[in-house]
Amino acid sequence: MTQEMSAKELIARRIALELQDGDAVNLGIGLPTLVANYLPLGVNLLLQSENGFLGIGPVPAEIIPVGQPRMVNAGGNPCTILPGGSTFDVSTSFALMRGGHLDACVLGGLQVAENGDLANWMVPGKNVPGMGGAMDLAVGAKKVIVAMEHTNNGEKKILKKCTLPLTAKGKVAVLVTEKALFRFYDGNMVLEEYAPGVSVDEIRAETEAAFTVSDNLKEMVISQVGL
C-alpha cells in the first residue's frame, strides 16, 4: 500500500475490478460505497439500495433544503436516480435481494472465518439499529464480496471461527483487505493476491484463519481511475 493511499481506498479500488458492466449490485454502507468511485471506464452498474431503488445515482450536486422532498439511500444520505432507474416498496426490494436477482453485493465485515462465514451486524453489548438487509444480501446475492481492514487495532479479524453473531454461514466468495485478496472455494480459503509491499509471512502473522497459497499468487492490481 502506498503512503498516499488509505487502506479503505486501496480495498475499494481492488474491488472495483471484481464487478462487470451491467451487473446489478448492492454496495453496503460505509467502505463498500467507495467502490462506485473507482469503476473502470465502460463499467456501468445498476446499483440497488435496500430501501427501494434500482439505478441509484450519485450524491446530488445541490444541497436540498430541509423540508423539501428528497431521496435518500439506505444509509440515509441524499442520492439521485439515473435515467432508466426505478423505485419500489421495501418488500419488493427485499424480494429482489432474497430471490437471487443481484449479481453481487459488497459488504463490510467485522469478522470472516476460514470457511467463508461472515459476522458484520453487531457486537454484543453495543447498541445497534438492527442488521438491516445484511443477512438477506449475504444469502441472496450471487457473489458476496467482503471489504474490510485486515485487523482492528492489532486484533485479528480473519479467524478460524467467528466469535461474533453470524450474518451468514459459508457465503463469502471474495475477501479484500489492504493486505490481501482471498477467494473461497467449497469452504477453503485461498490467498490469491498480496498488496504491494506486503509479504505472505506478514499476511500469515496477521491472519488467524488457515489458508492455502494459490499456485498463481500475484501482486494485487487496483483500479487506476483518478490516479
Side-chain angles (χ1 to χ4, degrees):
M1 181 174 61
T2 65
Q3 292 182 346
E4 297 79 13
M5 188 178 299
S6 70
K8 291 181 179 179
E9 181 180 340
L10 182 85
I11 294 166
R13 284 182 177 276
R14 177 57 189 87
I15 290 175
L17 301 182
E18 289 290 305
L19 305 174
Q20 305 297 315
D21 185 44
D23 279 355
V25 177
N26 182 291
L27 300 179
I29 297 169
L31 169 54
T33 62
L34 299 178
V35 173
N37 297 334
Y38 306 115
L39 295 173
L41 186 66
V43 175
N44 297 293
L45 305 179
L46 275 173
L47 293 179
Q48 185 259 358
S49 184
E50 63 200 58
N51 59 325
F53 290 98
L54 188 62
I56 197 168
V59 174
E62 298 181 0
I63 298 176
I64 302 172
V66 175
Q68 292 190 16
R70 65 178 70 191
M71 291 190 292
V72 296
N73 60 24
N77 299 312
C79 67
T80 57
I81 188 165
L82 300 175
S86 59
T87 63
F88 31 81
D89 60 36
V90 173
S91 61
T92 300
S93 187
F94 273 72
L96 187 154
M97 292 155 54
R98 295 169 179 168
H101 304 291
L102 293 180
D103 295 293
C105 68
V106 182
L107 299 173
L110 296 172
Q111 295 177 343
V112 172
E114 62 188 36
N115 66 343
D117 289 353
L118 170 66
N120 78 343
W121 75 276
M122 76 167 292
V123 176
K126 291 190 176 182
N127 291 325
V128 293
M131 73 286 292
M135 293 180 178
D136 308 86
L137 288 165
V139 172
K142 296 174 184 175
K143 182 178 183 180
V144 177
I145 303 169
V146 174
M148 74 178 191
E149 295 186 50
H150 208 96
T151 59
N152 178 28
N153 295 322
E155 182 178 349
K156 295 175 181 177
K157 298 170 64 176
I158 308 173
L159 308 173
K160 290 186 174 297
K161 185 176 181 180
C162 293
T163 59
L164 295 175
L166 290 184
T167 302
K169 293 180 64 67
K171 289 295 183 176
V172 179
V174 182
L175 167 61
V176 181
T177 77
E178 77 280 13
K179 296 183 181 295
L181 181 148
F182 299 94
R183 294 189 195 275
F184 295 80
Y185 301 95
D186 297 322
N188 297 306
M189 185 175 173
V190 180
L191 173 65
E192 294 200 346
E193 300 179 17
Y194 56 89
V198 178
S199 69
V200 174
D201 287 342
E202 180 180 343
I203 294 169
R204 285 198 185 281
E206 297 189 8
T207 306
E208 180 191 281
F211 62 86
T212 57
V213 178
S214 171
D215 292 337
N216 299 312
L217 180 69
K218 61 183 180 180
E219 184 173 283
M220 187 184 294
V221 176
I222 62 173
S223 170
Q224 297 298 301
V225 172
L227 290 178

